[in-house]
Amino acid sequence: MTPALLPPPAPAPAPGTRSRLGAWAELLRVSALFTVPGDALAGAAASGAARPRTTALAIGCSLCLYEAGMALNDWADRAEDAAERPHRPLPSGRITAPAALLAASALTAAGLALAARAGRPALLVASALAGTVWAYDLRLKHTPWGPLAMGAARGLDVLLGAAAQPGARTRAALPAAGALTAHTTAVTAVSRHEVRGGAVGAPLAALAASTALGGALVRGALARTRRLPPASPVPPVPPAGRVAAAAPGPPGPTLTAALAAGYALSAGRPFLHAALNPSPQLTGRAVGGGIRAMIPLQGALAARTGALGAALATTALAPLAKALSRRVNPT
């Protein structure tokens, strides 16, 4: 290519632009953002009537409300962070408190607007999710109800994926929502000891929960494999107005078992380390590992419904989350 055909060089960023973007990435915990789409994908798969458009709207709403919660979290904790985490964007002055609150409000409004486009059931669930997020950050975080409130937010996020689909078969997603609620509650309980460490009970309980949940999914997948009838050469025709789910052939249970085992290992290892040595560093690693372990859990929950495409798409986010976590501190 001759010099005349080369594109003009990109203008250099203004002084401080990169640092401002880094501050916002740190505030919004972008390294944990890849754990969010799997909630809606698992919920949509459980509904049995997933549509690309409404699933995309649910994912967009989930991302907005998740990021709203991250910004609101630091706004609410700005005084505490000034003493314990002075390097965070707000106490360090890299982002102002009014800007963080404005971002949380704008992202909440954007999330609800996306949910409204998916229909009234989705808007109702999204409103409950937004209310839970704000209640957690502003009131419940430092109470005994804090971990359960955070877990409920994840559960509602799964239900949002189902509520956005035609027919809104939200109840079908309750088992998946319960699984994410249990895991998130356990991780949040561990996160309360990130600064000072010293807690053995919380990581032990999280280890027990992840092991039990992963084991239940593996046993269910293996039992389903034994019950599968011989494959039919002619696929069944779905009822009118319904979208055919992925064929429930052997790859479904096999993938479910593999992802469930991967979830139990990826979550259990850092929880075990934090229980054996409850230092702040290992406790923080346990929290980060528990957050990223949501991805194989979401994939397993999608695979168990036969939605192999959704399961693989969710699982593909894991390496991105791990790579980005090395560059941006998610705590």
Side-chain angles (χ1 to χ4, degrees):
M1 182 178 289
T2 63
L5 296 178
L6 289 172
T17 298
R18 182 172 298 178
S19 63
R20 286 196 298 271
L21 291 176
W24 279 102
E26 185 179 347
L27 177 77
L28 298 176
R29 278 80 161 178
V30 295
S31 61
L33 198 59
F34 294 104
T35 70
V36 178
D39 289 342
L41 288 173
S47 75
R51 300 288 178 86
R53 175 182 173 275
T54 52
T55 301
L57 289 172
I59 292 174
C61 174
S62 297
L63 292 171
C64 287
L65 295 182
Y66 184 86
E67 294 291 47
M70 294 299 101
L72 186 63
N73 174 81
D74 277 26
W75 180 85
D77 285 355
R78 60 193 185 280
E80 178 183 332
D81 285 347
E84 297 181 347
R85 304 179 185 89
H87 60 280
R88 293 292 303 159
L90 265 63
S92 66
R94 289 175 290 154
I95 296 176
T96 65
L101 183 59
L102 178 61
S105 302
L107 286 165
T108 300
L112 294 177
L114 289 171
R117 294 190 61 186
R120 188 170 180 269
L123 178 59
L124 291 175
V125 176
S127 299
L129 174 57
T132 303
V133 168
W134 281 73
Y136 172 81
D137 283 330
L138 299 181
R139 180 70 63 179
L140 300 176
K141 183 190 310 181
H142 301 295
T143 72
W145 298 100
L148 185 57
M150 178 61 78
R154 276 285 180 170
L156 286 168
D157 205 25
V158 176
L159 296 180
L160 175 62
Q165 308 309 320
R169 296 180 63 237
T170 310
R171 290 185 179 180
L174 285 175
L180 264 299
T181 296
H183 175 78
T184 306
T185 300
V187 175
T188 307
V190 176
S191 72
R192 292 186 157 196
H193 306 281
E194 282 185 277
V195 176
R196 298 180 178 86
V200 176
L204 275 179
L207 174 61
S210 61
T211 302
L213 185 53
L217 286 170
V218 170
R219 289 192 300 271
L222 295 178
R224 183 164 172 257
T225 301
R226 291 192 293 268
R227 294 195 304 265
L228 282 175
S232 172
V234 181
V237 179
R242 295 290 301 279
V243 177
T254 302
L255 182 60
T256 302
L259 290 175
Y263 154 72
L265 289 174
S266 61
R269 186 179 303 160
F271 289 151
L272 177 60
H273 291 168
L276 294 175
N277 179 12
S279 64
Q281 182 180 14
L282 290 181
T283 301
R285 288 181 183 176
V287 173
I291 292 173
R292 290 188 296 275
M294 291 180 185
I295 295 178
L297 175 58
Q298 294 159 343
L301 293 170
R304 70 192 291 269
T305 69
L308 304 188
L312 293 174
T314 300
T315 308
L317 299 174
L320 298 175
K322 186 174 182 180
L324 195 55
S325 69
R326 297 171 180 170
R327 303 184 59 181
V328 180
N329 183 6
T331 60

